Amino acid sequence: RIFVLGIGFFTLCFLMTSLGGQFSAKRLGDSPFTIRTEVMGALESRGLLRRMSDMLEMLMKRMDILARLENSTDFHKGDEARFPLDRFQPAAGLMERIQAIAQNVSDIAIKVDQILRNSLLNGKVMEGRRDQCEVPRDPKYPDCAGKVEWMRARWTSDPCYAFFGVDGTECSFLIYLSEVEWFCPPLPWRNRTVAVPSLPPKPRAQAAFRRDLARLLELIGTGKESLSFMKKRIRHLAQQWLRAARRLEQKLVGRQRDQKHILIHIGFLTEESGDVFSPRVLKGGPLGEMVQWADILAALFMLGHSLRVTVSLKELQSHLGVPPGRGNCPLTSPLPFDLIYTDYHGLQQMKQHMGLSFKKYRCRVRVIDTFGTEPAYNHEEYATLRGYRTNWGYWNLQPTQFMTMFPHTPDNSFMGFVSEELNQTERQLIKANKVSSMAVVYGKEASIWKGKEKFLAILNKYMEIHGTVYYETQRPPEVPAFVKNHGLLPQHEFQQLLRKAKLFIGFGFPYEGPAPLEAIANGCVFLQARFNPPHSSLNHEFFRGKPTSREATGTAVFQVSSQHPYAEDFIGKPHVWTVDYNNSEEFEAAIKTIMRTQVDPYLPYEYTCEGMLERIHAYIQHQDFCTTSSVPPSPKTKSPAMQSPPSPLALSPNSTHLVWSPSAGWAPQAWPPVASLQVWVSEPQHTCTETCRRRGLVCEPTFFRFLNKEEVFLQLSIACDSTEYEMNHLYPAVAENVHECYLQKEPLLFSCAGYNTKYRRLCPCRDFRQGQVALCRDCL
């Protein structure tokens, strides 16, 4: 009897657990796409209830038989008679409980049956619609049928489709493709809320210059050596940022500045990209990228914008609203950020996880790009056809969305970084304590010193040589014994070393880092090597795959003429000397002259805190890549310029170039303002960058659209026997020998870089602010 009662009790528990699982696993109304599943699950539950009721009834019958058998035998005789009769009273109580449960189960089964009948009646209309879904044939949605076919075969390839309700039925495909994506028209039977007149948007909060950086240090977070380095740099320069912010605030007094919501995702610090920098921070770098990111964070924060900082893929997905899965579906809600600052690693991660939303929102992205990305490498189709495809290009962004460390090419926006400024007392102290016979070598890695024995021997004749090469146990064999090696120094100690030294000398690598500017700002002369022939992707592994040509020919070969072209071109003597290290006499003569030359500490304005704040403020206020601009006329249109209004351009007073005519009577909403535009014709061997620079101007690629017209050739007295529209990063241009003129077909290919001896290019130039090449005089 005890055995039978135990079996009955555990059977009852099992049945109740199974029934509970049936109800808990399926919740009606979870999703409009799971009606069939829910109904079937409920039908199964109803059957289970009936089976449970039947089994309980059978159990009670068997227990009743046992009781009758017990009363009709001598079972209680002998030893069994010693057991008290109340030993079996709990069995009677259990029988009563089982009877009550059986009655409850029977009642529940009846109620479930009633609910299911109502649910099935209400669901018939929806079920009918689901069975009747057909792929619409709407010419406005030409990709609908193909996308449905793809969904039939691949909808299980990413869990995100099920997240949005796709369950393998035709209707769920069409609902997803019309309501989540936009490849199919909306289904007429779907419930859609009635359009309510939208209220005018609330006024944007105004950005206010901040008075301290404590909150920024919290936002950056902890856990990585790279983040610790950035925070130390921000703390060290905090007072300079605060003073610069106050000066810029006075310049902008009375101007409205909307506060932007900005996401900063430093992709190269994520674990998925390898985080190659964090482990090397304590070993000397390279630190240039982290210097720049620290300064970008400080500038954006001081300007008063709302920031979110991420260095992990999980945080990025959370901030963007990425649905669960492998990244094929769009974001679950509108992008909450006005701007996203990231790098190439972050750009790749965003594309991988945002689905179609990446194409929708990529106009809000700003890519921190050390060396730059020129239009020929950015345009995917053109780069593939012309052989410009590299590891980093072909993103089809507006070229000015890429932001560089130095003003390599006007095709990109110059972001920059900052160097420490000196007050008058510090400048005088440096001049008084300079040691004219002391030199510091640029390079923390031992490999930089390899093969430089000849130069070091010459330098050692005149100067005491100091190094900052990292080593763990002993002096690296590449560093000669006569060099006083300090090992890796903290930033402030390295600054003190530069303040004593007369010469900061580079041996060709690293390319275009921040250290030479820091040395010049601390009163050093920078001596660097001239590359002959120039380094390029053809003769140097470091440049292979870089998406830029750097003033090269139409064959687009990346060329660098010295270790630090910005220092050579924008600063020059007496602060910067560029010599041929293969010529020992020239090298030795330069050292003798430098020892006799007195120089003051010098820092270009664009690398001060105020200069960087000024530049980023202007970009945020005026750069808008989400508003479409006018495109060049179709190449099939005959003489499109003939139907256009008279050209707003006119010959300058000296008749050498074109300017925006004051009598034009209109001016487009353009930034930079069109009043700064000048149109010049290049020589065959010159890029537009060089053409403008020779006239004290800067090439401005946003102005190309105003001169990409046939009448501009006529205004410049250029005879065109024919005019063609083509995709070419050198156009608009004229082939003078055959009198053929070419206009640009693809706006993304407007480029200041590149030349071909066959063409003379039409070049848009502009003026610039003193010490701020990124901005025109009226651009602030």
Side-chain angles (χ1 to χ4, degrees):
R1 275 174 290 173
I2 293 173
F3 175 76
V4 172
L5 288 173
I7 292 296
F9 178 74
F10 285 113
T11 303
L12 176 63
C13 293
F14 172 75
L15 290 172
M16 292 300 293
T17 303
S18 300
L19 182 61
Q22 289 285 332
F23 283 125
S24 64
K26 302 185 183 298
R27 300 187 301 271
L28 288 175
D30 270 0
S31 169
F33 310 108
T34 53
I35 291 176
R36 182 186 299 274
T37 304
E38 304 300 343
V39 172
M40 292 305 295
L43 289 171
E44 292 170 2
S45 299
R46 180 174 61 180
L48 187 61
L49 283 167
R50 287 177 175 173
R51 290 195 298 273
M52 180 178 174
S53 181
D54 293 342
M55 291 180 70
L56 286 169
E57 185 178 355
M58 185 180 297
L59 181 63
M60 291 178 64
K61 287 179 180 178
R62 290 180 179 178
M63 293 183 71
D64 186 58
I65 292 171
L66 272 175
R68 288 198 303 270
L69 286 173
E70 184 179 82
N71 293 331
S72 63
T73 64
D74 295 328
F75 189 73
H76 293 285
K77 293 179 180 180
D79 293 337
E80 297 295 332
R82 295 195 304 270
F83 289 92
L85 194 61
D86 60 1
R87 170 81 175 269
F88 300 99
Q89 288 178 355
L94 179 62
M95 288 283 292
E96 293 175 2
R97 291 189 182 94
I98 292 174
Q99 199 169 13
I101 292 172
Q103 183 61 45
N104 288 336
V105 169
S106 179
D107 294 340
I108 292 172
I110 294 172
K111 291 179 181 178
V112 168
D113 188 66
Q114 294 173 346
I115 292 171
L116 287 174
R117 289 177 185 277
N118 292 333
S119 298
L120 287 171
L121 287 173
N122 293 333
K124 280 183 178 179
V125 176
M126 182 64 73
E127 282 295 318
R129 286 171 177 167
R130 291 177 62 80
D131 294 339
Q132 296 172 7
C133 279
E134 295 182 359
V135 179
R137 305 294 178 183
D138 190 332
K140 296 179 181 178
Y141 300 88
D143 298 323
C144 184
K147 290 293 181 179
V148 171
E149 188 66 30
W150 188 94
M151 292 290 287
R152 289 193 193 110
R154 301 290 303 279
W155 76 272
T156 58
S157 64
D158 193 322
C160 72
Y161 297 117
F163 173 82
F164 281 110
V166 177
D167 60 4
T169 61
E170 207 81 350
C171 284
S172 70
F173 297 154
L174 290 171
I175 291 169
Y176 174 85
L177 291 170
S178 62
E179 297 180 11
V180 180
E181 297 184 3
W182 47 86
F183 293 106
C184 294
L187 299 176
W189 52 267
R190 287 287 292 172
N191 288 332
R192 293 190 295 275
T193 56
V194 179
V196 179
S198 58
L199 298 174
K202 294 182 179 179
R204 293 289 298 265
Q206 292 300 295
F209 286 93
R210 291 193 168 95
R211 297 291 181 256
D212 67 76
L213 289 156
R215 176 58 183 153
L216 174 61
L217 299 177
E218 295 177 11
L219 288 172
I220 293 175
T222 58
K224 290 179 180 288
E225 291 293 341
S226 299
L227 299 180
S228 298
F229 173 87
M230 292 185 202
K231 290 165 76 171
K232 287 179 183 177
R233 177 175 175 81
I234 291 171
R235 288 192 196 98
H236 180 69
L237 295 174
Q239 292 305 313
Q240 296 198 25
W241 283 116
L242 293 171
R243 288 194 295 268
R246 286 194 291 268
R247 291 194 295 265
L248 182 58
E249 186 175 20
Q250 293 173 359
K251 290 182 184 179
L252 301 177
V253 63
R255 299 195 193 181
Q256 296 293 308
R257 295 189 305 117
D258 289 343
Q259 186 184 60
K260 305 291 185 180
H261 296 281
I262 300 176
L263 175 66
I264 297 99
H265 176 60
I266 310 177
F268 73 82
L269 291 183
T270 60
E271 299 299 329
E272 290 76 12
S273 67
D275 189 12
V276 296
F277 286 94
S278 289
R280 303 178 69 183
V281 170
L282 297 178
K283 297 182 180 180
L287 305 178
E289 287 85 352
M290 284 178 284
V291 164
Q292 187 181 34
W293 274 109
D295 296 345
I296 291 170
L297 286 165
L300 292 172
F301 185 80
M302 292 305 301
L303 287 169
H305 299 292
S306 174
L307 308 184
R308 290 289 182 274
V309 183
T310 69
V311 292
S312 77
L313 186 56
K314 186 177 180 180
E315 289 177 330
L316 174 68
Q317 293 172 322
S318 174
H319 285 310
L320 294 179
V322 173
R326 299 186 179 92
N328 291 310
C329 296
L331 302 183
T332 56
S333 57
L335 186 70
F337 300 103
D338 302 301
L339 295 169
I340 299 177
Y341 287 82
T342 189
D343 53 23
Y344 263 126
H345 295 283
L347 195 63
Q348 183 64 49
Q349 291 167 354
M350 289 168 57
K351 182 180 180 182
Q352 182 179 352
H353 292 277
M354 289 176 67
L356 289 175
S357 295
F358 178 78
K359 184 176 181 181
K360 179 178 180 181
Y361 294 120
R362 64 184 177 183
C363 61
R364 303 188 190 183
V365 173
R366 306 294 184 265
V367 185
I368 308 305
D369 178 10
T370 302
F371 288 97
T373 299
E374 292 175 3
Y377 299 82
N378 170 61
H379 192 280
E380 184 174 15
E381 179 186 358
Y382 186 75
T384 303
L385 292 174
R386 300 296 185 94
Y388 298 138
R389 199 173 175 95
T390 66
N391 296 334
W392 301 105
Y394 58 86
W395 284 96
N396 292 323
L397 300 177
Q398 291 292 334
T400 39
Q401 287 179 256
F402 297 98
M403 299 187 150
T404 59
M405 184 174 283
F406 293 95
H408 306 304
T409 168
D411 292 325
N412 302 148
S413 298
F414 165 44
M415 171 60 75
F417 57 94
V418 303
S419 288
E420 188 171 355
E421 300 174 67
L422 305 176
N423 58 39
Q424 193 59 36
T425 302
E426 291 171 326
R427 293 166 66 90
Q428 293 298 327
L429 192 62
I430 286 175
K431 290 179 67 175
N433 293 332
K434 276 292 178 185
V435 180
S436 62
S437 60
M438 178 178 172
V440 176
V441 174
Y442 181 18
K444 301 174 184 178
E445 297 182 8
S447 59
I448 295 172
W449 298 65
K450 191 174 182 178
K452 307 301 188 299
E453 295 83 1
K454 181 179 178 181
F455 312 129
L456 290 169
I458 296 174
L459 182 61
N460 188 47
K461 289 166 53 180
Y462 302 95
M463 290 187 167
E464 179 181 273
I465 306 174
H466 294 250
T468 57
V469 182
Y470 174 82
Y471 61 95
E472 294 182 357
T473 56
Q474 59 184 0
R475 176 186 293 270
E478 295 86 355
V479 180
F482 56 75
V483 174
K484 185 177 181 180
N485 188 23
H486 299 262
L488 181 63
L489 293 177
Q491 187 67 16
H492 70 280
E493 292 185 26
F494 181 64
Q495 293 275 357
Q496 294 302 319
L497 189 65
L498 292 176
R499 292 184 178 189
K500 292 181 180 178
K502 175 72 173 184
L503 177 66
F504 190 61
I505 181 170
F507 286 140
F509 190 85
Y511 299 100
E512 300 179 301
L517 266 68
E518 293 178 353
I520 296 167
N522 282 286
C524 292
V525 173
F526 177 51
L527 177 63
Q528 65 171 344
R530 179 184 299 113
F531 299 150
N532 188 17
H535 287 185
S536 71
S537 58
L538 299 180
N539 61 20
H540 203 286
E541 184 64 28
F542 179 84
F543 295 111
R544 195 158 290 130
K546 297 291 189 297
T548 174
S549 65
R550 281 306 164 81
E551 313 296 352
T553 66
T555 57
V557 176
F558 183 102
Q559 297 189 76
V560 174
S561 60
S562 65
Q563 183 175 352
H564 207 291
Y566 175 86
E568 179 184 6
D569 296 334
F570 287 84
I571 301 177
K573 292 181 179 179
H575 301 280
V576 178
W577 290 62
T578 306
V579 301
D580 184 0
Y581 279 22
N582 294 320
N583 187 329
S584 300
E585 293 180 358
E586 182 182 355
F587 178 78
E588 189 168 0
I591 292 173
K592 292 178 180 179
T593 306
I594 289 170
M595 292 181 68
R596 296 192 303 266
T597 305
Q598 295 294 323
V599 296
D600 293 329
Y602 173 72
L603 180 62
Y605 175 76
E606 55 200 357
Y607 284 96
T608 64
C609 292
E610 186 177 354
M612 188 168 185
L613 285 173
E614 188 178 273
R615 192 163 57 248
I616 295 182
H617 154 74
Y619 290 154
I620 291 176
Q621 292 300 116
H622 300 293
Q623 283 186 336
D624 180 5
F625 303 112
C626 297
T627 303
T628 56
S629 58
S630 58
V631 297
S634 169
K636 296 181 180 179
T637 305
K638 294 183 179 180
S639 302
M642 296 304 177
Q643 287 83 35
S644 61
S647 172
L649 300 174
L651 279 173
S652 64
N654 58 8
S655 302
T656 57
H657 62 279
L658 301 179
V659 296
W660 196 270
S661 175
S663 60
W666 68 282
Q669 292 294 322
W671 190 84
V674 291
S676 63
L677 168 63
Q678 298 183 25
V679 183
W680 292 84
V681 183
S682 76
E683 296 299 323
Q685 69 274 21
H686 290 168
T687 66
C688 280
T689 301
E690 186 175 3
T691 298
C692 296
R693 185 182 298 167
R694 285 170 172 258
R695 290 161 177 83
L697 303 169
V698 175
C699 183
E700 179 51 62
T702 61
F703 286 156
F704 269 112
R705 59 192 175 110
F706 298 123
L707 51 97
N708 193 50
K709 299 178 181 179
E710 187 174 359
E711 65 262 31
V712 175
F713 290 111
L714 300 176
Q715 288 181 288
L716 290 167
S717 301
I718 296 174
C720 300
D721 292 342
S722 64
T723 304
E724 300 291 338
Y725 280 84
E726 294 183 10
M727 282 201 314
N728 192 307
H729 70 286
L730 303 179
Y731 296 166
V734 56
E736 286 191 316
N737 293 338
V738 290
H739 300 288
E740 293 176 350
C741 297
Y742 299 93
L743 297 176
Q744 182 61 259
K745 180 181 178 182
E746 172 52 68
L748 287 180
L749 287 174
F750 285 136
S751 177
C752 294
Y755 71 87
N756 190 306
T757 54
K758 176 182 176 182
Y759 302 117
R760 297 182 69 198
R761 302 187 57 188
L762 298 189
C763 299
C765 306
R766 63 161 170 83
D767 56 34
F768 59 92
R769 296 171 64 85
Q770 183 66 32
Q772 185 75 286
V773 70
L775 305 179
C776 71
R777 291 172 187 165
D778 297 323
C779 279
L780 189 56

